[in-house]
PDB file of all heavy atoms in Angstrom:
ATOM      1  N   ALA A 140    -181.981 -68.546  32.934  1.00 35.00           N
ATOM      2  CA  ALA A 140    -182.116 -69.785  32.170  1.00 35.00           C
ATOM      3  C   ALA A 140    -182.971 -69.563  30.935  1.00 35.00           C
ATOM      4  O   ALA A 140    -182.665 -70.037  29.842  1.00 35.00           O
ATOM      5  CB  ALA A 140    -182.724 -70.875  33.053  1.00 35.00           C
ATOM      6  N   HIS A 141    -184.081 -68.802  31.110  1.00 35.00           N
ATOM      7  CA  HIS A 141    -184.922 -68.479  29.959  1.00 35.00           C
ATOM      8  C   HIS A 141    -184.144 -67.693  28.920  1.00 35.00           C
ATOM      9  O   HIS A 141    -184.241 -67.949  27.721  1.00 35.00           O
ATOM     10  CB  HIS A 141    -186.130 -67.640  30.417  1.00 35.00           C
ATOM     11  CG  HIS A 141    -187.230 -68.459  31.027  1.00 35.00           C
ATOM     12  ND1 HIS A 141    -187.969 -69.361  30.306  1.00 35.00           N
ATOM     13  CD2 HIS A 141    -187.705 -68.503  32.302  1.00 35.00           C
ATOM     14  CE1 HIS A 141    -188.877 -69.926  31.105  1.00 35.00           C
ATOM     15  NE2 HIS A 141    -188.732 -69.423  32.320  1.00 35.00           N
ATOM     16  N   GLU A 142    -183.350 -66.704  29.401  1.00 36.00           N
ATOM     17  CA  GLU A 142    -182.600 -65.878  28.455  1.00 36.00           C
ATOM     18  C   GLU A 142    -181.547 -66.686  27.718  1.00 36.00           C
ATOM     19  O   GLU A 142    -181.336 -66.516  26.520  1.00 36.00           O
ATOM     20  CB  GLU A 142    -181.941 -64.705  29.198  1.00 36.00           C
ATOM     21  CG  GLU A 142    -182.945 -63.662  29.656  1.00 36.00           C
ATOM     22  CD  GLU A 142    -182.282 -62.495  30.339  1.00 36.00           C
ATOM     23  OE1 GLU A 142    -181.055 -62.567  30.566  1.00 36.00           O
ATOM     24  OE2 GLU A 142    -182.974 -61.524  30.653  1.00 36.00           O
ATOM     25  N   GLU A 143    -180.846 -67.585  28.445  1.00 37.00           N
ATOM     26  CA  GLU A 143    -179.815 -68.386  27.797  1.00 37.00           C
ATOM     27  C   GLU A 143    -180.426 -69.287  26.730  1.00 37.00           C
ATOM     28  O   GLU A 143    -179.876 -69.462  25.638  1.00 37.00           O
ATOM     29  CB  GLU A 143    -179.087 -69.220  28.848  1.00 37.00           C
ATOM     30  CG  GLU A 143    -178.170 -68.377  29.732  1.00 37.00           C
ATOM     31  CD  GLU A 143    -177.589 -69.189  30.864  1.00 37.00           C
ATOM     32  OE1 GLU A 143    -177.828 -70.426  30.891  1.00 37.00           O
ATOM     33  OE2 GLU A 143    -176.895 -68.605  31.722  1.00 37.00           O
ATOM     34  N   GLN A 144    -181.610 -69.871  27.048  1.00 36.00           N
ATOM     35  CA  GLN A 144    -182.266 -70.707  26.048  1.00 36.00           C
ATOM     36  C   GLN A 144    -182.647 -69.880  24.834  1.00 36.00           C
ATOM     37  O   GLN A 144    -182.483 -70.305  23.690  1.00 36.00           O
ATOM     38  CB  GLN A 144    -183.514 -71.346  26.667  1.00 36.00           C
ATOM     39  CG  GLN A 144    -184.281 -72.241  25.681  1.00 36.00           C
ATOM     40  CD  GLN A 144    -185.507 -72.858  26.333  1.00 36.00           C
ATOM     41  OE1 GLN A 144    -185.762 -72.647  27.517  1.00 36.00           O
ATOM     42  NE2 GLN A 144    -186.262 -73.602  25.563  1.00 36.00           N
ATOM     43  N   ASP A 145    -183.166 -68.668  25.088  1.00 37.00           N
ATOM     44  CA  ASP A 145    -183.571 -67.811  23.987  1.00 37.00           C
ATOM     45  C   ASP A 145    -182.367 -67.406  23.136  1.00 37.00           C
ATOM     46  O   ASP A 145    -182.456 -67.352  21.911  1.00 37.00           O
ATOM     47  CB  ASP A 145    -184.253 -66.559  24.554  1.00 37.00           C
ATOM     48  CG  ASP A 145    -184.826 -65.679  23.471  1.00 37.00           C
ATOM     49  OD1 ASP A 145    -185.680 -66.168  22.723  1.00 37.00           O
ATOM     50  OD2 ASP A 145    -184.408 -64.512  23.383  1.00 37.00           O
ATOM     51  N   HIS A 146    -181.200 -67.130  23.783  1.00 36.00           N
ATOM     52  CA  HIS A 146    -179.988 -66.795  23.020  1.00 36.00           C
ATOM     53  C   HIS A 146    -179.593 -67.955  22.116  1.00 36.00           C
ATOM     54  O   HIS A 146    -179.204 -67.773  20.967  1.00 36.00           O
ATOM     55  CB  HIS A 146    -178.828 -66.482  23.972  1.00 36.00           C
ATOM     56  CG  HIS A 146    -178.995 -65.185  24.680  1.00 36.00           C
ATOM     57  ND1 HIS A 146    -179.612 -64.114  24.117  1.00 36.00           N
ATOM     58  CD2 HIS A 146    -178.608 -64.804  25.930  1.00 36.00           C
ATOM     59  CE1 HIS A 146    -179.610 -63.107  24.965  1.00 36.00           C
ATOM     60  NE2 HIS A 146    -179.009 -63.507  26.078  1.00 36.00           N
ATOM     61  N   GLU A 147    -179.691 -69.174  22.640  1.00 35.00           N
ATOM     62  CA  GLU A 147    -179.293 -70.338  21.851  1.00 35.00           C
ATOM     63  C   GLU A 147    -180.213 -70.517  20.658  1.00 35.00           C
ATOM     64  O   GLU A 147    -179.780 -70.833  19.549  1.00 35.00           O
ATOM     65  CB  GLU A 147    -179.311 -71.583  22.731  1.00 35.00           C
ATOM     66  CG  GLU A 147    -178.213 -71.576  23.795  1.00 35.00           C
ATOM     67  CD  GLU A 147    -178.355 -72.749  24.751  1.00 35.00           C
ATOM     68  OE1 GLU A 147    -179.273 -73.566  24.543  1.00 35.00           O
ATOM     69  OE2 GLU A 147    -177.549 -72.844  25.699  1.00 35.00           O
ATOM     70  N   GLU A 148    -181.519 -70.296  20.887  1.00 34.00           N
ATOM     71  CA  GLU A 148    -182.472 -70.491  19.799  1.00 34.00           C
ATOM     72  C   GLU A 148    -182.273 -69.487  18.686  1.00 34.00           C
ATOM     73  O   GLU A 148    -182.512 -69.765  17.519  1.00 34.00           O
ATOM     74  CB  GLU A 148    -183.895 -70.371  20.350  1.00 34.00           C
ATOM     75  CG  GLU A 148    -184.278 -71.531  21.275  1.00 34.00           C
ATOM     76  CD  GLU A 148    -185.615 -71.297  21.946  1.00 34.00           C
ATOM     77  OE1 GLU A 148    -186.190 -70.200  21.725  1.00 34.00           O
ATOM     78  OE2 GLU A 148    -186.085 -72.189  22.672  1.00 34.00           O
ATOM     79  N   HIS A 149    -181.846 -68.289  19.035  1.00 33.00           N
ATOM     80  CA  HIS A 149    -181.730 -67.236  18.034  1.00 33.00           C
ATOM     81  C   HIS A 149    -180.284 -66.967  17.612  1.00 33.00           C
ATOM     82  O   HIS A 149    -180.034 -66.075  16.810  1.00 33.00           O
ATOM     83  CB  HIS A 149    -182.344 -65.938  18.573  1.00 33.00           C
ATOM     84  CG  HIS A 149    -183.827 -66.022  18.756  1.00 33.00           C
ATOM     85  ND1 HIS A 149    -184.402 -66.560  19.873  1.00 33.00           N
ATOM     86  CD2 HIS A 149    -184.850 -65.644  17.935  1.00 33.00           C
ATOM     87  CE1 HIS A 149    -185.726 -66.506  19.771  1.00 33.00           C
ATOM     88  NE2 HIS A 149    -186.018 -65.956  18.606  1.00 33.00           N
ATOM     89  N   GLY A 150    -179.354 -67.737  18.162  1.00 33.00           N
ATOM     90  CA  GLY A 150    -177.953 -67.527  17.805  1.00 33.00           C
ATOM     91  C   GLY A 150    -177.455 -66.158  18.197  1.00 33.00           C
ATOM     92  O   GLY A 150    -176.638 -65.549  17.528  1.00 33.00           O
ATOM     93  N   HIS A 151    -177.966 -65.659  19.326  1.00 34.00           N
ATOM     94  CA  HIS A 151    -177.685 -64.281  19.708  1.00 34.00           C
ATOM     95  C   HIS A 151    -177.149 -64.238  21.124  1.00 34.00           C
ATOM     96  O   HIS A 151    -177.653 -64.903  22.005  1.00 34.00           O
ATOM     97  CB  HIS A 151    -178.984 -63.463  19.614  1.00 34.00           C
ATOM     98  CG  HIS A 151    -178.825 -62.044  20.075  1.00 34.00           C
ATOM     99  ND1 HIS A 151    -178.221 -61.088  19.316  1.00 34.00           N
ATOM    100  CD2 HIS A 151    -179.210 -61.427  21.226  1.00 34.00           C
ATOM    101  CE1 HIS A 151    -178.235 -59.943  19.969  1.00 34.00           C
ATOM    102  NE2 HIS A 151    -178.821 -60.124  21.133  1.00 34.00           N
ATOM    103  N   ASP A 152    -176.143 -63.426  21.326  1.00 39.00           N
ATOM    104  CA  ASP A 152    -175.593 -63.221  22.661  1.00 39.00           C
ATOM    105  C   ASP A 152    -175.280 -61.738  22.817  1.00 39.00           C
ATOM    106  O   ASP A 152    -174.407 -61.204  22.146  1.00 39.00           O
ATOM    107  CB  ASP A 152    -174.320 -64.051  22.839  1.00 39.00           C
ATOM    108  CG  ASP A 152    -173.774 -63.987  24.256  1.00 39.00           C
ATOM    109  OD1 ASP A 152    -174.028 -62.976  24.938  1.00 39.00           O
ATOM    110  OD2 ASP A 152    -173.095 -64.953  24.657  1.00 39.00           O
ATOM    111  N   ASP A 153    -176.012 -61.060  23.693  1.00 39.00           N
ATOM    112  CA  ASP A 153    -175.824 -59.627  23.857  1.00 39.00           C
ATOM    113  C   ASP A 153    -174.401 -59.292  24.253  1.00 39.00           C
ATOM    114  O   ASP A 153    -173.840 -58.295  23.836  1.00 39.00           O
ATOM    115  CB  ASP A 153    -176.783 -59.082  24.931  1.00 39.00           C
ATOM    116  CG  ASP A 153    -178.214 -59.035  24.426  1.00 39.00           C
ATOM    117  OD1 ASP A 153    -178.385 -58.741  23.243  1.00 39.00           O
ATOM    118  OD2 ASP A 153    -179.142 -59.289  25.216  1.00 39.00           O
ATOM    119  N   HIS A 154    -173.796 -60.118  25.103  1.00 39.00           N
ATOM    120  CA  HIS A 154    -172.434 -59.831  25.554  1.00 39.00           C
ATOM    121  C   HIS A 154    -171.464 -59.858  24.376  1.00 39.00           C
ATOM    122  O   HIS A 154    -170.607 -59.009  24.227  1.00 39.00           O
ATOM    123  CB  HIS A 154    -172.003 -60.851  26.613  1.00 39.00           C
ATOM    124  CG  HIS A 154    -172.872 -60.827  27.838  1.00 39.00           C
ATOM    125  ND1 HIS A 154    -172.854 -61.803  28.779  1.00 39.00           N
ATOM    126  CD2 HIS A 154    -173.786 -59.917  28.264  1.00 39.00           C
ATOM    127  CE1 HIS A 154    -173.723 -61.517  29.750  1.00 39.00           C
ATOM    128  NE2 HIS A 154    -174.296 -60.376  29.446  1.00 39.00           N
ATOM    129  N   ALA A 155    -171.619 -60.852  23.512  1.00 37.00           N
ATOM    130  CA  ALA A 155    -170.716 -60.963  22.366  1.00 37.00           C
ATOM    131  C   ALA A 155    -170.921 -59.825  21.392  1.00 37.00           C
ATOM    132  O   ALA A 155    -169.978 -59.302  20.814  1.00 37.00           O
ATOM    133  CB  ALA A 155    -170.926 -62.304  21.678  1.00 37.00           C
ATOM    134  N   ASP A 156    -172.209 -59.401  21.194  1.00 38.00           N
ATOM    135  CA  ASP A 156    -172.495 -58.339  20.244  1.00 38.00           C
ATOM    136  C   ASP A 156    -171.743 -57.066  20.588  1.00 38.00           C
ATOM    137  O   ASP A 156    -171.340 -56.318  19.728  1.00 38.00           O
ATOM    138  CB  ASP A 156    -174.004 -58.033  20.231  1.00 38.00           C
ATOM    139  CG  ASP A 156    -174.757 -58.992  19.318  1.00 38.00           C
ATOM    140  OD1 ASP A 156    -174.097 -59.844  18.716  1.00 38.00           O
ATOM    141  OD2 ASP A 156    -175.998 -58.881  19.240  1.00 38.00           O
ATOM    142  N   HIS A 157    -171.545 -56.815  21.852  1.00 44.00           N
ATOM    143  CA  HIS A 157    -170.878 -55.592  22.256  1.00 44.00           C
ATOM    144  C   HIS A 157    -169.402 -55.812  22.577  1.00 44.00           C
ATOM    145  O   HIS A 157    -168.753 -54.929  23.122  1.00 44.00           O
ATOM    146  CB  HIS A 157    -171.612 -54.972  23.444  1.00 44.00           C
ATOM    147  CG  HIS A 157    -172.919 -54.353  23.049  1.00 44.00           C
ATOM    148  ND1 HIS A 157    -173.042 -53.054  22.627  1.00 44.00           N
ATOM    149  CD2 HIS A 157    -174.159 -54.885  22.965  1.00 44.00           C
ATOM    150  CE1 HIS A 157    -174.293 -52.795  22.327  1.00 44.00           C
ATOM    151  NE2 HIS A 157    -174.988 -53.883  22.527  1.00 44.00           N
ATOM    152  N   ASP A 158    -168.903 -57.006  22.251  1.00 48.00           N
ATOM    153  CA  ASP A 158    -167.472 -57.284  22.404  1.00 48.00           C
ATOM    154  C   ASP A 158    -166.984 -57.080  23.831  1.00 48.00           C
ATOM    155  O   ASP A 158    -165.872 -56.620  24.056  1.00 48.00           O
ATOM    156  CB  ASP A 158    -166.642 -56.413  21.445  1.00 48.00           C
ATOM    157  CG  ASP A 158    -166.934 -56.738  19.989  1.00 48.00           C
ATOM    158  OD1 ASP A 158    -167.168 -57.915  19.693  1.00 48.00           O
ATOM    159  OD2 ASP A 158    -166.939 -55.810  19.168  1.00 48.00           O
ATOM    160  N   HIS A 159    -167.818 -57.391  24.822  1.00 54.00           N
ATOM    161  CA  HIS A 159    -167.413 -57.234  26.207  1.00 54.00           C
ATOM    162  C   HIS A 159    -166.767 -58.483  26.773  1.00 54.00           C
ATOM    163  O   HIS A 159    -166.336 -58.475  27.918  1.00 54.00           O
ATOM    164  CB  HIS A 159    -168.621 -56.862  27.073  1.00 54.00           C
ATOM    165  CG  HIS A 159    -169.106 -55.469  26.852  1.00 54.00           C
ATOM    166  ND1 HIS A 159    -168.329 -54.356  27.059  1.00 54.00           N
ATOM    167  CD2 HIS A 159    -170.303 -55.004  26.432  1.00 54.00           C
ATOM    168  CE1 HIS A 159    -169.033 -53.266  26.786  1.00 54.00           C
ATOM    169  NE2 HIS A 159    -170.225 -53.635  26.401  1.00 54.00           N
TER     170      HIS A 159
END
Side-chain angles (χ1 to χ4, degrees):
H141 280 293
E142 289 182 353
E143 288 173 5
Q144 180 180 358
D145 186 59
H146 289 327
E147 291 174 2
E148 291 173 357
H149 293 83
H151 176 77
D152 186 333
D153 287 324
H154 299 166
D156 276 359
H157 287 272
D158 296 324
H159 288 300

